């Protein structure tokens, strides 16, 4: 039977990624959208609130995907989990670790499956890199995450507001990959953040992890081109290089041929499985890494962001 | 048999609290101090590093208490847990959640008991308040934590450096109490922090928790007097008021007579139990609450702190 799904929050990521992934997946049928703005080109029912949707949708729904900014998610997730609906969380799942731990406990109590989707973990190179690094001792790790915030978050204000994470919003994707491919935990040691004088979240950062020569360089000011790279060297002399956010992979300098893969189609395949088997799929570590960065950070003030 | 204990880190809290608590407890004998400064009035062996202590102490030791500032703790704890020694952590146990989770896992793997000591949880009024609030629905909660940083951290620099927590260093004591006495989780919602322009950690903050009318007001600038108060009202009309960091308690306006109690003597009684029964006692929630505060915070710049 097709799963009737509601998209809660209808911004750029919902429209660019969730909508086509749902349309391409025969397990799902888009039953409703919950959004304060009414998208004109969408044919399914649109409601302003989750409560309105529950009241107004005669056929009911079987699952939801939450794609709002992080801060309002907690109240929404409490409401839908309490109503017994399986939840897919766009990343990051919540604004705080306490909220996530509470929702995990609530979902267990109610026997409702939830899924913290980290889309970069579904990039084609990630499982191959994980196999290559199995049992290897890392001697050097550099993550470089550089993009232009104006390109990926045009006009968005929430990313600059408290709880919006700033450059850690894209960087959490890199952390979610590292967390998947390393045979050791990623532990924040020292962090330096640059805050535009007129913004509440950092525009760039450098993160040093425990262990020798393990670092992440994050930059939201852009450059000649986007770079989402991870380079890892190991004690046995192996070199693993993920590029394009995990879509491209080189091992020991040789490019690996990877099947083309849509991260979001793979996410919805997994979510169908989570819903049908009623088995949660939860990874809270990327959010913990970001929380540790903010806890440990040296804060520097930079120029205004315009 | 007496437990030979080493104090690692010998600052104000070690000298004021740990030393007399160890001296008063027949289960323990102070075997060594690890400190970069050699305290002149101490009769036991003093070493500069944990490695020097292992090499230099013929009789060995049975347990350690780590009282350094938070940032260097992780490396020290890895070393002593790997050596099989039970650890008492002065609060906060580590500088990050990732470090704490790693040490918990390491201690489990090595079958070494560890103890995250939150001294305010040992204040005389705390267990009585917890019993009074059992099963009660909170309708209002105010935590007021106000003290003069100059009085309690004279000349200390680490509290102002990244990872030093600022006003959350004392406030984590209040959070550790709330975590003990509430029948519901304490979830950070919105936070406002004030950073002196010349410091890396906040000097004051306001924390709003999820749920109506639950807040913490933190102030390190001092006032007429120190105030470490928690006031809780419940749906059944009960009023619970903890003062002096939990040492004084009023229920429904009536002061409760409490036995005089030394928090640190009670801590060392529990630590003896942890060591002898080889059973860890771990609470990571107060650190999680502080991490969530830094993750969610609105940051405001204030005057220089001089």
């Amino acid at each position: 039977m097709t799963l009737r799904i509601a998209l809660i929050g209808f911004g750029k990521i919902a429209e660019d990624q969730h909508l086509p992934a749902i349309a391409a997946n025969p397990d799902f049928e888009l039953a409703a959208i919950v959004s304060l703005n009414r998208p004109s080109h969408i044919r399914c029912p649109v409601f302003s609130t989750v409560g309105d949707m529950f009241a107004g949708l005669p056929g009911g729904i079987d699952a939801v995907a939450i794609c709002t900014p992080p801060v309002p998610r907690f109240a929404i997730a409490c409401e839908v989990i309490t109503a017994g609906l399986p939840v897919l969380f766009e990343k990051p799942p919540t604004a705080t670790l306490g909220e996530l731990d509470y929702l995990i406990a609530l979902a267990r109590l109610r026997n409702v499956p939830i899924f913290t989707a980290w889309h970069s973990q579904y990039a084609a190179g990630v499982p191959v890199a994980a196999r290559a690094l199995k049992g290897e001792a890392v001697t050097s790790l550099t993550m470089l995450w550089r993009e232009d915030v104006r390109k990926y978050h045009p006009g968005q204000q929430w990313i600059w507001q408290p709880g919006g994470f700033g450059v850690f919003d894209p960087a959490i994707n890199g952390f979610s990959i590292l967390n998947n491919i390393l045979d050791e935990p990623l532990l924040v040691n020292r962090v330096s953040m640059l805050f535009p004088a007129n913004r509440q979240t950092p525009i760039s950062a450098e993160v040093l992890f425990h262990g020798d020569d393990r670092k992440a360089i994050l930059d939201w000011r852009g450059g000649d081109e986007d770079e989402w790279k991870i380079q890892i060297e190991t004690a046995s002399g192996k070199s693993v290089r993920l590029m394009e956010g995990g879509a491209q992979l080189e091992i020991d300098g040789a490019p690996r041929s990877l099947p083309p893969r849509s991260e979001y189609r793979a996410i919805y395949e997994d979510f169908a499985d989570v819903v049908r088997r009623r088995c949660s799929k939860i990874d809270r570590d990327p959010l913990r890494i970001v929380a540790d960065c903010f806890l440990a950070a040296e804060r520097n003030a930079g120029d205004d962001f315009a």
Side-chain angles (χ1 to χ4, degrees), chain A:
Chain A
M1 209 183 72
T2 308
L3 299 166
R4 291 167 53 83
I5 191 169
L7 272 178
I8 304 178
F10 197 74
K12 184 167 166 57
I13 197 74
E15 183 149 15
D16 290 357
Q17 299 290 351
H18 289 259
L19 209 56
I22 290 168
N25 188 323
D27 280 327
F28 289 101
E29 174 196 342
L30 184 65
I33 287 172
V34 177
S35 170
L36 294 175
N37 308 313
R38 173 169 291 271
S40 58
H41 55 293
I42 301 292
R43 289 165 189 270
C44 78
V46 179
F47 301 94
S48 299
T49 68
V50 171
D52 289 351
M53 176 178 73
F54 287 157
L57 207 64
I61 50 175
D62 303 309
V64 307
I66 302 183
C67 305
T68 67
V71 169
R73 290 183 180 199
F74 179 68
I76 292 167
C78 284
E79 195 172 357
V80 294
I81 292 170
T82 302
L85 290 177
V87 181
L88 182 163
F89 291 89
E90 177 53 70
K91 66 94 201 176
T94 52
T96 69
L97 285 165
E99 291 173 350
L100 181 54
D101 287 345
Y102 181 90
L103 294 174
I104 292 170
L106 181 66
R108 276 189 195 131
L109 273 174
R110 302 268 174 171
N111 195 26
V112 173
I114 63 174
F115 176 28
T116 56
W118 301 99
H119 66 81
S120 292
Q121 292 182 343
Y122 290 85
V126 171
V128 188
R131 280 194 298 276
L133 290 167
K134 189 122 194 92
E136 295 281 333
V138 171
T139 52
S140 160
L141 182 164
T142 303
M143 170 179 138
L144 172 61
W145 231 248
R146 177 194 290 145
E147 63 180 50
D148 190 336
V149 58
R150 294 173 187 83
K151 180 169 161 191
Y152 294 96
H153 295 275
Q156 291 181 13
Q157 289 308 307
W158 64 267
I159 48 160
W160 294 115
Q161 286 160 0
F165 292 11
V167 72
F168 287 85
D169 179 77
I172 204 171
N173 297 328
F175 297 154
S176 77
I177 292 175
L178 288 174
N179 207 42
N180 247 215
I181 65 177
L182 297 179
D183 248 11
E184 56 180 61
L186 198 61
L187 300 180
V188 172
N189 188 5
R190 281 189 296 148
V191 182
S192 167
M193 294 183 178
L194 184 72
F195 287 71
N198 62 344
R199 291 289 187 273
Q200 282 288 339
T201 57
I203 196 165
S204 69
E206 186 171 313
V207 181
L208 302 182
F209 299 103
H210 279 292
D212 292 336
D213 201 10
R214 290 156 163 79
K215 64 175 176 292
I217 296 161
L218 321 177
D219 201 331
W220 229 5
R221 294 166 297 192
D224 292 340
E225 52 183 334
D226 300 327
E227 291 195 272
W228 301 295
K229 281 186 196 166
I230 290 169
Q231 170 123 20
I232 293 170
E233 316 288 333
T234 76
S236 73
K238 199 175 270 189
S239 168
V240 173
R241 198 158 170 245
L242 281 164
M243 290 148 293
E244 298 179 33
Q248 301 294 329
L249 174 67
E250 280 179 15
I251 296 181
D252 298 336
R256 288 294 174 110
S257 159
L258 298 170
R261 194 177 194 210
S262 155
E263 295 173 3
Y264 279 85
R265 290 200 190 183
I267 281 176
Y268 274 90
E269 283 163 20
D270 266 15
F271 188 43
D273 201 48
V274 163
V275 176
R276 294 196 194 285
R277 295 173 52 208
R278 301 197 70 75
C279 179
S280 288
K281 189 172 158 111
I282 297 163
D283 181 3
R284 57 193 292 293
D285 278 354
L287 187 60
R288 190 263 302 153
I289 293 167
V290 172
D292 279 345
C293 285
F294 277 85
L295 187 60
E298 174 186 280
R299 291 169 182 78
N300 301 291
D303 296 336
D304 278 359
F305 177 80

